[in-house]
Amino acid sequence: LTKFRETTAPKSDPYGDWSTEIGIIDGELKFASIDARMTMKVLQSVTVKRPIMVIAENLVSDLTTTSTLSKPFQWTWDWVWYETEEGLILGLMLGMAIALPVALITLVFATGNVVIALYAIVSIGFVVASVLGACKAYLDWDLGIAESVAGVIVIGLAVDYTIHMGHMYDHAHHEIGAEDREARFRFAVEKMGTTVFAGAVTTAGSGIFLYFTVLLFFGKMATLIVLTIFFSFVYSFGFFMAALLLAGPEGEFGRIKHILDVLGIAKESEADKHHASPKAATPAAADDEKIGAGAVALRSDDETGL
């Protein structure tokens, strides 16, 4: 084996040697490796790697160990990111479990209306499901590094359009005194529809430039950004605003302040009550005010000598 190691070279590298495959130190064989080619493609997701890794581990465990072969193991570059990818997928699940409730709370405070916030969070859930579902159904992507990272980013991008439209729908009550859902819908679309459309075009346009990069990761991110913006825009108007038009809150229905008032939690201060309902002046009080004004005028005349 020592002679073979010193006198031959691998066919794949005629100018190389066997030092990385056959390790002889101080005349003793310390390690030996056997290369094999897998049919698995590179940059596959954990769901693809996991069963193949199990097969490779079973193959090694079936080897008969001897005194010179005590610790056989298998290794490939594809396993280097395996644990990291497992952690990213776990992070995706935890991120969604945290981001969606936080997004709901943000929507409640931003819109000031519980019903609008619930419609918005359902719309966001549809966007996330549609983006990840399209990646699997049409692009045959499994959950990998890019998909795991983008899964949480999708929630942040999906909130943007719904929160603007929902806030403007609620703001119509204060801006133009609109009480019915049709007037609020019209106000929101007229005031914010063009802005949302322009934002969708510019954001999706910025993602298109990533398609011209060399790294595969950036190409995937470009697809995920474009899909997210597309579905966010579609669901913002096709589902969210349509739901508000058909069954949106009217008047004070669903507003946090109104709910707190009904429950008796939000109470007016005594100063607000006094300011809101001033007492009517009695005739006697009016006469007193006139006499007081006259007295002031007399004192002023006396001081000036008139």
Side-chain angles (χ1 to χ4, degrees), residues 21-72:
E21 285 78 17
I22 304 173
I24 298 178
I25 302 174
D26 297 332
E28 295 184 359
L29 178 65
K30 296 297 182 179
F31 68 86
S33 66
I34 301 174
D35 293 337
R37 185 178 295 275
M38 294 190 299
T39 57
M40 183 184 73
K41 297 180 180 180
V42 297
L43 299 177
Q44 295 299 304
S45 65
V46 173
T47 54
V48 176
K49 291 179 181 178
R50 188 181 294 115
I52 298 176
M53 186 177 182
V54 172
I55 294 173
E57 287 291 343
N58 292 336
L59 177 64
V60 172
S61 62
D62 291 339
L63 294 176
T64 303
T65 59
T66 62
S67 58
T68 58
L69 184 62
S70 57
K71 297 179 180 179

Side-chain angles (χ1 to χ4, degrees), residues 33 88 137 162 189 210 232 253 278 304:
S33 66
L88 288 173
T162 54
V189 173
L210 292 175
S232 296
F253 184 80
T304 56

Side-chain angles (χ1 to χ4, degrees), residues 82-203:
Y82 182 82
E83 295 295 335
T84 303
E85 292 173 355
E86 288 276 17
L88 288 173
I89 292 176
L90 178 61
L92 171 63
M93 303 306 174
L94 292 176
M96 287 186 175
I98 295 173
L100 286 173
V102 170
L104 176 59
I105 295 172
T106 304
L107 287 164
V108 169
F109 282 99
T111 61
N113 193 294
V114 177
V115 178
I116 296 176
L118 290 175
Y119 285 161
I121 202 67
V122 172
S123 177
I124 293 168
F126 285 158
V127 173
V128 176
S130 297
V131 171
L132 297 181
C135 291
K136 177 60 180 176
Y138 298 104
L139 302 175
D140 197 24
W141 291 358
D142 294 291
L143 280 178
I145 297 176
E147 295 82 3
S148 300
V149 172
V152 180
I153 298 175
V154 166
I155 299 175
L157 291 174
V159 169
D160 193 21
Y161 302 146
T162 54
I163 197 171
H164 286 311
M165 299 303 298
H167 172 71
M168 197 56 59
Y169 179 91
D170 182 75
H171 190 63
H173 172 70
H174 307 282
E175 187 73 17
I176 60 174
E179 296 290 339
D180 61 291
R181 58 179 65 98
E182 289 81 4
R184 290 183 172 188
F185 172 86
R186 187 179 300 107
F187 178 81
V189 173
E190 290 176 353
K191 293 294 183 180
M192 194 57 64
T194 305
T195 303
V196 169
F197 176 75
V201 172
T202 54
T203 307

